[in-house]
Amino acid sequence: MRRQILVSFFAASAVLVSGQGFSGDWDAAYGKAQTALSKLSQTDKIAIVTGVGWGKGPCSGNSGAANSIGYRTLCLQDGPLGVRTVSSITVFPAGVHAASTWDRALMRDRGHGIGSQTKALGINVILGPVAGPLGQFAQGGRNWEGFGNDPYLCGVATEQTIGGIQEAGAQACVKHYIGNEQEKNRHDMNSVIDDRTLHELYLWPFAEAVRANVASVMCSYNKISGTWVCENGRMMDDILKKELGFKGYVVTDWDAQHSTAASANTGLDMTMPGSDYNGNTYYWGNKLQSAVQSGQVASSRLDDMVKRILASWYLLKQDSNYPNIAIDHRSNNGGPNVQGNNATIARAVARDGIVLLKNSDNVLPLQKPKSIAIIGSGAVANPKGINSCQDNGCNQGTLVMGWGSGTATLPYLSAPADAITSRAKQDGTSVTTAATDTANQGASAAQNADVAIVFITADGGEEYITVEGNEGDRNDLNAWHNGADLVKAVANVNKNTIVVVNTVGPVLLESFADLPNVKAIVWAGLPGQEAGNALVDIIYGATSPSGKLPYSIAKAAKDYGTTIQAMTDNFSEGLYIDYRYMDKNSISPRYEFGFGLSYSTFNYSSISISGTPTSGPESGPTVPGGAASLFEVVATVTATITNSGSVTAAEVAQLYLGLPSSAPATPVRQLRGFDKVSIKAGESATVKFELRRRDLSYWDSSAKKWVLPKGTFTIDVGASSRDLRLSGKLEAS
Ligand SMILES: *[C@@H]1O[C@H](CO)[C@@H](O)[C@H](O)[C@H]1NC(C)=O
Ligand SMILES: *[C@@H]1O[C@H](CO)[C@@H](O)[C@H](O)[C@H]1NC(C)=O
Ligand SMILES: *[C@@H]1O[C@H](CO)[C@@H](O)[C@H](O)[C@H]1NC(C)=O
């Protein structure tokens, strides 16, 4: 099905699907930008780099126009799962749900869907994808907007999403760069990250974004080592532009600017929305003009900003026949219908991102039960209306996204109770729905049913909205609304209890995961508008589940080893977050990173490892062009996966790497490859992993280089980070 979607909808661009990122021609784009520059007045240049002010244009962000080159106001709009504040778009599954598909093609399709709707609405720049927060904290409020807390998986998802968005003609804006790992005090937070941790975890997906030719990068609210990121020369100039070779422009997060000359001189290229939210305070516009006149900011720096912005515009060919802006952010929810058939993509991502965690006695897929009781407020649409809470700032009804600026307006919602009820008719199953979170009510609804399906949730979001006492970050890792009590009460009376969890991240399951009557746990993530249909696809077995966890589900909150910080975050755990921490400290999670069950079984065999990497520091050019040799494939691993069960199913084979003893202390194993293959019962497929030089290297902070260590690497291939089926060695001379 995945491949069919690609072929039928994207036949024209199919060749790019297996490609890496977006294949744009920066040299040609810079040539055009250089020519355009000579036609611009100083006023034009200032207008191009400055937002017009909050609330003064149709988009979340709008720059000034430059008529002499046919450059109209640039329109920047949220957000990462669909176009915000427009009524007839597609609400795709959230980033974290796309990550749990582990499916490059679906990630790209989702990006393409978002990008094509962005373009159809005349919006130039979509403010996504999210590569930070990465997920230092399990409770982090905005983790769900991104792609899970492993840099490799997040990097692949970032690259594919950018590829899809930009192939559709819109500019992607990867955010939030960098070290913005929590919502608490995000405007003042000081993140102090050692250079190795920075490179190997938090910078990694941004490096993939640059390699994918992303048009823009958003600098975040926080400070790094005492300096705001949006005026931090080390982060913007030295690392992003020089070391990584970023050719597009850096734009502020909204109102994240604190200075005129300092931000200009350290690498900021565009300020948004151009003023604070009162419209009183601003730093560029005529203030930047004065700073250039007085020599505080070199005119060559202003020209560089303009060239970067124009080059990105030319790179995406937005200079010719780009649609007119068809939205108005301020009037909230107008706009033409641009849905097309994107719901098909949304459903495929929602379906394949569902992770089956437990399935005793093969209770799933459902086999024509006589009766089903559906229980929990999360089973039905919010009775007050699917869009009744501003920016989704509530947890009522089916949870399909978190809250904040990363949300979008649902055109409709396929609610689980409706979708199950409709499907159940085919089997003559009687269905009752008790949309209650009260334990005894849930139990009485469940007690005479063949099967009880209980819906529980956990929500999180952006700090400007507080939901049920959670100020963005989650207060704890428990299910909301006493979800665990509801499950226990139902399981007490029903021996076929199926738990469905819609959540922004990990939820502690200890109080019920081992109960014998809890036969199945279905991790339904944040599925977007197609929630119910996707769930039915899985629980009725039209498709075997194939999602895998993009984070670990621990037995206790302390098992993550990190907690939300006050005003300074020293990142003292270094490389050891999530499974890296649990592996190091021999902590068993309930369900490990990469885990997920299928309706079939898979046998792994015939690992083959080839390649003769040479040790030593990265030696290729680092600027310009972004260290090409770092991304050269230096080893290839293949394995055979056999579907040893009785139904067609997809498996995500994962490669974990351990560095030789000559390397400094490093996590025992780290994800460095994955491949998802759909296999018919009884048949086999080959999975392939390509290891790039950087995938085998560590960051040497004193040499300021990636170094590929000498000696023996261990390579494990398996079905999760702890279900390792095959292993082998690779020698670096
Ligand atoms: C998604 O929507 C865009 C904008 O309307 C449209 O161009 C594109 O064809 C749609 N994709 C699919 C698969 O329908
Ligand atoms: C962070 O590190 C600094 C410098 O070592 C130290 O003074 C401070 O107490 C640390 N903060 C926290 C919250 O650990
Ligand atoms: C599974 O693979 C192993 C080799 O890894 C092989 O010995 C075994 O026969 C296979 N089992 C099945 C059921 O294919």
Side-chain angles (χ1 to χ4, degrees):
M1 189 57 190
R2 286 190 313 283
R3 312 293 155 179
Q4 278 164 15
I5 285 171
L6 278 171
V7 171
S8 54
F9 295 133
F10 300 130
S13 61
V15 64
L16 286 154
V17 165
S18 61
Q20 295 159 331
F22 171 69
S23 49
D25 184 346
W26 281 109
D27 289 345
Y30 265 89
K32 290 178 187 167
Q34 183 66 45
T35 305
L37 190 71
S38 61
K39 298 181 190 150
L40 297 176
S41 66
Q42 186 81 344
T43 314
D44 288 336
K45 294 177 187 173
I46 298 290
I48 287 170
V49 305
T50 307
V52 299
W54 177 245
K56 294 200 175 136
C59 307
S60 353
N62 314 266
S63 71
N67 295 330
S68 56
I69 56 164
Y71 183 83
R72 61 136 216 241
T73 181
L74 195 76
C75 167
L76 299 85
Q77 184 73 9
D78 294 303
L81 58 63
V83 182
R84 186 184 176 202
T85 64
V86 183
S87 35
S88 200
I89 48 77
T90 303
V91 175
F92 290 91
V96 71
H97 199 96
S100 65
T101 68
W102 298 63
D103 186 320
R104 288 173 173 84
L106 278 184
M107 291 166 179
R108 196 173 185 103
D109 290 352
R110 175 179 170 276
H112 194 280
I114 294 169
S116 61
Q117 296 190 348
T118 300
K119 178 173 178 179
L121 293 165
I123 298 159
N124 300 88
V125 186
I126 189 79
L127 301 174
V130 170
L134 180 70
Q136 182 190 16
F137 306 114
Q139 305 97 307
R142 299 185 76 178
N143 291 358
W144 60 272
E145 295 183 47
F147 301 114
N149 59 28
D150 180 86
Y152 184 90
L153 176 60
C154 177
V156 169
T158 299
E159 170 192 25
Q160 294 296 342
T161 305
I162 291 166
I165 290 173
Q166 296 197 170
E167 185 54 35
Q171 299 183 36
C173 177
V174 68
K175 64 187 190 179
H176 307 82
Y177 182 77
I178 189 173
N180 184 180
E181 290 294 320
Q182 64 181 53
E183 288 302 286
K184 183 177 178 180
N185 293 326
R186 69 171 173 174
H187 293 277
D188 303 293
M189 192 74 197
N190 184 25
S191 292
V192 182
I193 317 177
D194 72 85
D195 210 30
R196 183 172 179 210
T197 302
L198 181 81
H199 279 81
E200 295 187 25
L201 291 187
Y202 302 96
L203 185 65
W204 182 292
F206 288 98
E208 298 292 355
V210 171
R211 201 174 64 90
N213 289 314
V214 71
S216 74
V217 174
M218 182 189 287
C219 55
S220 54
Y221 288 119
N222 55 293
K223 299 171 191 170
I224 293 281
S225 299
T227 305
W228 307 108
V229 180
C230 296
E231 56 183 59
N232 191 314
R234 181 171 159 254
M235 301 318 299
M236 294 194 293
D237 252 344
D238 296 350
I239 293 183
L240 186 59
K241 292 182 177 175
K242 298 209 174 81
E243 183 187 313
L244 301 185
F246 174 54
K247 294 196 178 70
Y249 57 94
V250 180
V251 57
T252 60
D253 201 339
W254 267 227
D255 198 23
Q257 194 179 19
H258 295 268
S259 59
T260 300
S263 54
N265 290 335
T266 51
L268 183 68
D269 302 303
M270 183 187 284
T271 178
M272 280 294 157
S275 69
D276 66 3
Y277 290 105
N278 301 318
N280 298 329
T281 307
Y282 65 96
Y283 294 99
W284 281 5
N286 59 19
K287 292 184 180 172
L288 180 59
Q289 181 118 12
S290 307
V292 173
Q293 264 152 20
S294 69
Q296 283 179 281
V297 174
S299 59
S300 59
R301 178 72 262 274
L302 176 62
D303 286 352
D304 178 50
M305 297 175 194
V306 172
K307 273 192 282 183
R308 286 173 174 275
I309 294 166
L310 292 182
S312 298
W313 184 65
Y314 286 120
L315 184 79
L316 277 300
K317 303 188 168 40
Q318 295 189 345
D319 56 313
S320 77
N321 297 321
Y322 206 73
N324 292 326
I325 298 171
I327 66 163
D328 197 331
H329 181 65
R330 297 159 297 188
S331 64
N332 213 356
N333 293 334
N337 182 350
V338 295
Q339 295 177 69
N341 290 322
N342 286 280
T344 312
I345 299 168
R347 181 172 178 165
V349 177
R351 178 195 67 210
D352 288 356
I354 291 173
V355 186
L356 182 62
L357 296 177
K358 179 177 181 180
N359 193 20
S360 305
D361 304 335
N362 296 321
V363 68
L364 292 177
L366 295 171
Q367 302 295 336
K368 304 186 185 202
K370 283 200 185 59
S371 57
I372 298 177
I374 299 175
I375 295 151
S377 66
V380 301
N382 181 352
K384 294 186 187 128
I386 53 175
N387 295 303
S388 58
C389 300
Q390 178 75 41
D391 296 339
N392 211 39
C394 62
N395 181 7
Q396 288 162 32
T398 307
L399 182 74
V400 303
M401 56 189 148
W403 73 78
S405 65
T407 59
T409 306
L410 286 164
Y412 64 83
L413 173 65
S414 165
D418 297 340
I420 294 169
T421 303
S422 155
R423 174 63 182 78
K425 285 202 182 96
Q426 286 178 30
D427 303 335
T429 304
S430 72
V431 179
T432 53
T433 299
T436 176
D437 296 328
T438 306
N440 58 8
Q441 290 173 3
S444 66
Q447 73 192 8
N448 296 317
D450 272 3
V451 170
I453 309 181
V454 192
F455 288 80
I456 62 173
T457 63
D459 204 356
E462 199 170 350
E463 54 90 55
Y464 69 89
I465 302 174
T466 296
V467 179
E468 300 183 31
N470 295 262
E471 299 173 344
D473 303 317
R474 284 188 284 164
N475 293 337
D476 55 50
L477 297 179
N478 298 326
W480 287 29
H481 308 155
N482 299 315
D485 290 344
L486 182 67
V487 172
K488 283 185 281 183
V490 169
N492 210 25
V493 299
N494 188 298
K495 62 181 180 2
N496 290 315
T497 299
I498 294 165
V499 182
V500 177
V501 193
N502 284 112
T503 176
V504 291
V507 174
L508 303 177
L509 305 174
E510 291 315 291
S511 66
F512 61 78
D514 281 332
L515 294 178
N517 284 354
V518 171
K519 292 271 163 66
I521 302 176
V522 180
W523 206 251
L526 290 181
Q529 68 185 38
E530 284 288 328
N533 292 329
L535 183 67
V536 163
D537 288 342
I538 295 296
I539 65 176
Y540 277 89
T543 305
S544 174
S546 62
K548 303 259 184 170
L549 288 175
Y551 45 71
S552 302
I553 298 175
K555 292 182 175 169
K558 67 172 171 35
D559 292 350
Y560 289 97
T562 57
T563 50
I564 302 281
Q565 299 291 294
M567 290 295 272
T568 301
D569 180 359
N570 281 333
F571 289 72
S572 51
E573 73 287 340
L575 299 172
Y576 301 94
I577 61 170
D578 202 89
Y579 70 89
R580 292 164 168 81
Y581 177 79
M582 297 179 201
D583 288 347
K584 178 178 199 239
N585 295 289
S586 304
I587 295 167
S588 301
R590 167 57 57 174
Y591 297 112
E592 71 274 13
F593 177 85
F595 177 78
L597 299 171
S598 166
Y599 294 150
S600 197
T601 52
F602 300 98
N603 196 18
Y604 284 59
S605 61
S606 312
I607 188 170
S608 156
I609 301 172
S610 63
T612 49
T614 48
S615 62
E618 194 281 314
S619 55
T622 49
V623 273
S629 65
L630 261 185
F631 296 99
E632 252 170 48
V633 173
V634 292
T636 302
V637 178
T638 58
T640 302
I641 315 290
T642 304
N643 182 338
S644 45
S646 55
V647 293
T648 297
E651 170 70 329
V652 180
Q654 302 157 42
L655 183 149
Y656 292 88
L657 184 81
L659 295 192
S661 54
S662 69
T666 300
V668 52
R669 70 183 69 87
Q670 306 193 81
L671 183 74
R672 285 293 185 261
F674 63 87
D675 197 5
K676 186 167 191 173
V677 282
S678 181
I679 314 174
K680 289 190 178 132
E683 295 188 359
S684 298
T686 302
V687 287
K688 185 175 174 190
F689 313 93
E690 293 187 324
L691 294 164
R692 304 162 302 178
R693 193 166 175 88
R694 189 185 60 165
D695 299 329
L696 299 172
S697 298
Y698 65 90
W699 178 258
D700 182 329
S701 303
S702 48
K704 294 201 185 307
K705 276 187 189 301
W706 289 97
V707 174
L708 197 153
K710 191 182 174 83
T712 309
F713 291 80
T714 57
I715 289 175
D716 290 305
V717 172
S720 82
S721 62
R722 293 201 167 198
D723 182 4
L724 305 169
R725 309 283 185 88
L726 303 169
S727 85
K729 310 267 183 227
L730 176 71
E731 282 301 316
S733 57

